[in-house]
Amino acid sequence: MKRILTVVIGGLLPFGALFAQTPTTNFNTQSNWSLHKKELRIGFGATQFNGDLGGNVGVGRNYSLYDLDWPATGVGGTLGFRYRFAPMFATTSSLNFFSLKADDQFSEEVIRNSRNLRFSSFNIELSQRMDLILFSREKFGSLYNLPGNYTLKSLASQYYLFAGIGIMYFNPKAEYNGTTYALRKLRTEGQEKAYSPITGTMSFGYGMRWSVSRMWRVGVEVSYSKTFSDYIDDVSTTYATAAQLGNDPIRMGLANMAPGNPSFAPGQQRGNSTQKDAFYNINVVVTRNITYKDYGRQRNRQTLKSGGRFKV
């Protein structure tokens, strides 16, 4: 995962060189961008949870890559539709499905490690975002490779930022005595009413992609998503009393995985309710252009106008 992030972050380096080029050449001023209005997307990748459980050395850090819990990396995927409605703007609708997990045993911070809580959750998110296309260039090769003709290769690249909102379903679970339990309905912090399994999300990130053919693109997207819930990991406030947990041994066992430790007695801090939970995504995304209308005719006309090179 560290190597993947290094490669992705390194991909930002070309931005300086791109911005130094002539704006009229690279920054979406051409009229033929409409040949790529509609695209289907499929992606897969990894997730990292940023909340009350797990983490790195020291006190938990919200909004920080330093507090990532590498052994608790999850997996996920995305299906979506992207509509480019202007040269520099597109909107993307996505259905995302992914796992999130964290475990105090992976933390090197003494208190969190001793707390010994853990969770995993399968999540489904429906999101809508806006893409700001910073740089886009397309070069299309010859449609036919005839003898004696020089054939240009199809080359493309695009760099963009995005931000959006969504709605997410989550269902935290944990194992106790060899059995896995759904935690929400157990109300492990003694709540009178179980928290909602639905939360809103706000996401932002960046992406880059390159062509593999005239109609296909492959790229990488990295995003950070903040939720409106502090219970993605089932941890938020303080430890409950046995009476609040109905003297139920299962609820009591899942509520406190370090019984007898005075640091985790009823009324002591169990989580940090002042910060909502969040997560990171890194996805490899494959895109298929489905803007078929007059594609070949417009492409050939633009190729002739540009002397054999077609840019979007």
Side-chain angles (χ1 to χ4, degrees):
M1 184 68 179
K2 290 183 179 179
R3 292 182 179 178
I4 294 175
L5 280 177
T6 300
V7 172
V8 172
I9 293 172
L12 288 176
L13 296 179
F15 275 116
L18 296 179
F19 293 155
Q21 299 182 39
T22 306
T24 57
T25 301
N26 298 327
F27 285 81
N28 302 289
T29 58
Q30 298 82 5
S31 61
N32 48 25
W33 59 269
S34 59
L35 295 181
H36 294 266
K37 274 188 174 182
K38 301 174 184 178
E39 298 174 328
L40 294 179
R41 298 158 35 90
I42 183 170
F44 58 91
T47 65
Q48 269 285 323
F49 179 70
N50 187 210
D52 293 297
L53 300 189
N56 209 319
V57 182
V59 178
R61 296 169 175 83
N62 291 286
Y63 317 108
S64 173
L65 288 171
Y66 180 79
D67 206 37
L68 295 185
D69 187 359
W70 298 110
T73 299
V75 296
T78 180
L79 298 171
F81 171 77
R82 190 189 200 215
Y83 180 69
R84 188 173 174 182
F85 59 89
M88 294 183 65
F89 295 98
T91 182
T92 301
S93 305
S94 298
L95 177 63
N96 310 311
F97 41 94
F98 53 94
S99 63
L100 294 173
K101 55 184 178 180
D103 195 323
D104 283 341
Q105 70 171 318
F106 299 137
S107 175
E108 297 181 40
E109 201 278 323
V110 175
I111 298 299
R112 281 190 283 178
N113 185 276
S114 301
R115 182 178 55 181
N116 198 36
L117 294 174
R118 64 191 61 89
F119 92 103
S120 62
S121 176
F122 177 75
N123 313 275
I124 301 174
E125 179 190 31
L126 183 63
S127 66
Q128 188 72 36
R129 79 185 198 199
M130 186 73 72
D131 297 7
L132 171 62
I133 302 170
L134 300 176
F135 172 90
S136 179
R137 170 182 274 179
E138 300 266 357
K139 297 180 182 179
F140 284 81
S142 302
L143 188 60
Y144 303 105
N145 187 12
L146 300 176
N149 286 352
Y150 174 69
T151 303
L152 292 173
K153 292 183 178 180
S154 295
L155 302 173
S157 60
Q158 190 175 110
Y159 298 83
Y160 51 95
L161 303 175
F162 57 84
I165 59 174
I167 185 169
M168 185 181 85
Y169 164 82
F170 63 100
N171 184 28
K173 296 181 179 182
E175 183 180 313
Y176 180 67
N177 286 341
T179 302
T180 299
Y181 296 90
L183 299 172
R184 187 179 71 87
K185 292 184 178 180
L186 294 179
R187 295 174 287 120
T188 57
E189 293 185 347
Q191 306 97 316
E192 293 184 4
K193 182 180 179 181
Y195 51 82
S196 173
I198 305 295
T199 182
T201 59
M202 294 191 303
S203 304
F204 62 91
Y206 73 90
M208 59 192 80
R209 69 183 198 180
W210 307 270
S211 66
V212 292
S213 71
R214 289 194 301 269
M215 307 297 280
W216 291 90
R217 305 288 182 264
V218 175
V220 178
E221 292 184 350
V222 179
S223 65
Y224 174 82
S225 298
K226 191 70 174 177
T227 76
F228 291 90
S229 173
D230 193 39
Y231 280 105
I232 306 299
D233 53 8
D234 192 61
V235 175
S236 180
T237 57
T238 59
Y239 285 90
T241 65
Q244 289 175 314
L245 297 171
N247 292 303
D248 185 323
I250 295 176
R251 292 180 67 190
M252 293 168 62
L254 288 166
N256 189 347
M257 292 286 193
N261 189 323
S263 297
F264 312 120
Q268 296 296 318
Q269 182 177 353
R270 190 169 186 256
N272 181 4
S273 61
T274 63
Q275 293 289 345
K276 305 301 183 183
D277 294 330
F279 56 91
Y280 299 89
N281 279 16
I282 177 170
N283 286 318
V284 175
V285 181
V286 179
T287 304
R288 175 65 160 87
N289 183 7
I290 58 171
T291 313
Y292 295 113
K293 184 178 180 181
D294 294 330
Y295 185 91
R297 180 171 58 82
Q298 293 184 51
R299 171 192 174 280
N300 290 336
R301 183 170 65 248
Q302 294 296 339
T303 300
L304 292 173
K305 287 182 179 180
S306 59
R309 292 191 175 186
F310 172 53
K311 301 176 182 177
V312 174

